[in-house]
Amino acid sequence: MPPCPKAVDHHGHLLLLDGLGCDAATVVNILAHRNVTKRALIQQEYRTMYSGDLLKRLESELTGKLETAVFMWMHDPTRRNAMVIQMFKQHCYSKFGVHLKHDIEKQTSGDHKKLLLKYVEQDANALFKAGEKRLGTDEKTFIQIFIERSRAPLAAINSAYHNMYGNSLKKAMKSETSGCFEHGILTILQSSQNTTMYFFAKVLHKAMKGLGTNDTTLIRVIVTRTEIDMQYIKTEYHKKYKKTLNDAVHSETSGYYRTFLLSLLGPNH
């Protein structure tokens, strides 16, 4: 094993990976508090300094649930989504004894799934072109999408918009609309978001309910929603279950795994 490498992020912090035992505290403290751009820079700097892959090193040094959470957190959103899909496939296979792909092919056509995903991306792109990308606002497009889509597709469009353009749909709508029209658009959007927050709060509660914890679900939801809408999910969780999400996670986890998830969740309020 080569000497302990030290990857330095652009704030001058050291990321220690010791072959005789990973400095998990430092890994958690640094990586949990870096956004997607900074995490990519850290990986690039590590590659430059040591001609190695930081993800592979983390995978070899970390173990168990902490490894799963950190590894998923370090991937960019596209790779992370692929990992989540793979997790769903494995869960489906272990629970029902069939591959998810085979099951989908039995229930619906592949074209149907592609069509649904295509519509979501097209709507997000149409909203971008009708607002942020152009001078002025194409209100007709806004009305068509927000009025004709139900709450569930709107929530998917909202998430797709964030992933595709790095900005929240809410902020885009605020900057591109005004008056009663703005109020109506934001009311519809908020309704779809509330439904999404309720859904994720319920999923997290179910994952920690009863004996044992579904860590796969816990990791998946916290990691994938932290940089999107976790603060709203935390609010919804507290409103529905009269307990903070931080407290719930603290009681169901332990060690550096607990520290990492709580760091992603942020302040307990």
Side-chain angles (χ1 to χ4, degrees), residues 7-183:
V8 186
D9 70 14
H10 66 290
H11 287 297
H13 295 101
L14 296 179
L15 177 58
L16 308 180
L17 290 170
D18 190 339
L20 298 177
C22 179
D23 185 350
T26 303
V27 170
V28 167
N29 184 54
I30 292 177
L31 297 184
H33 297 95
R34 300 294 182 271
N35 63 28
V36 62
T37 302
K38 293 176 182 176
R39 295 196 300 273
L41 289 174
I42 290 175
Q43 292 184 67
Q44 181 180 335
E45 184 67 18
Y46 185 92
R47 189 176 297 108
T48 300
M49 294 173 66
Y50 302 106
S51 300
D53 188 333
L54 179 58
L55 288 179
K56 289 183 179 179
R57 191 63 190 275
L58 287 170
E59 188 176 21
S60 67
E61 296 291 347
L62 301 176
T63 59
K65 293 171 287 190
L66 176 62
E67 176 193 349
T68 302
V70 171
F71 198 65
M72 182 177 287
W73 176 246
M74 290 299 291
H75 279 299
D76 63 85
T78 301
R79 287 288 303 277
R80 186 188 297 159
N81 289 340
M83 290 177 65
V84 170
I85 291 173
Q86 186 61 35
M87 289 167 67
F88 272 124
K89 286 183 180 179
Q90 293 172 351
H91 172 73
C92 185
Y93 183 81
S94 64
K95 186 173 183 180
F96 301 108
V98 292
H99 285 291
L100 183 59
K101 181 179 179 182
H102 179 257
D103 187 55
I104 290 175
E105 287 174 350
K106 286 179 61 179
Q107 302 298 326
T108 61
S109 68
D111 288 340
H112 182 214
K113 178 185 177 183
K114 291 179 182 177
L115 185 63
L116 292 177
L117 293 174
K118 185 177 180 181
Y119 272 128
V120 169
E121 292 180 358
Q122 283 182 341
D123 281 345
N125 183 250
L127 288 169
F128 179 71
K129 289 181 177 179
E132 290 188 274
K133 189 176 181 181
R134 60 174 283 161
L135 183 63
T137 302
D138 179 5
E139 295 184 353
K140 183 179 178 181
T141 299
F142 285 6
I143 293 172
Q144 179 184 0
I145 292 176
F146 276 83
I147 296 300
E148 292 183 359
R149 305 298 184 262
S150 63
R151 288 186 297 179
L154 272 179
I157 293 167
N158 182 50
S159 181
Y161 192 95
H162 182 279
N163 289 334
M164 291 167 68
Y165 303 111
N167 189 21
S168 74
L169 188 53
K170 182 178 180 179
K171 287 183 179 179
M173 295 303 99
K174 279 187 174 181
S175 66
E176 297 296 332
T177 59
S178 61
C180 293
F181 182 64
E182 176 188 359
H183 178 73

Side-chain angles (χ1 to χ4, degrees), residues 233-260:
I233 295 173
K234 287 168 65 176
T235 299
E236 187 66 32
Y237 190 96
H238 185 264
K239 181 170 67 175
K240 181 172 177 59
Y241 300 109
K242 311 305 177 187
K243 182 178 184 179
T244 69
L245 180 56
N246 290 56
D247 286 345
V249 170
H250 187 277
S251 65
E252 295 296 326
T253 58
S254 61
Y256 290 120
Y257 170 57
R258 170 200 282 169
T259 303
F260 185 71

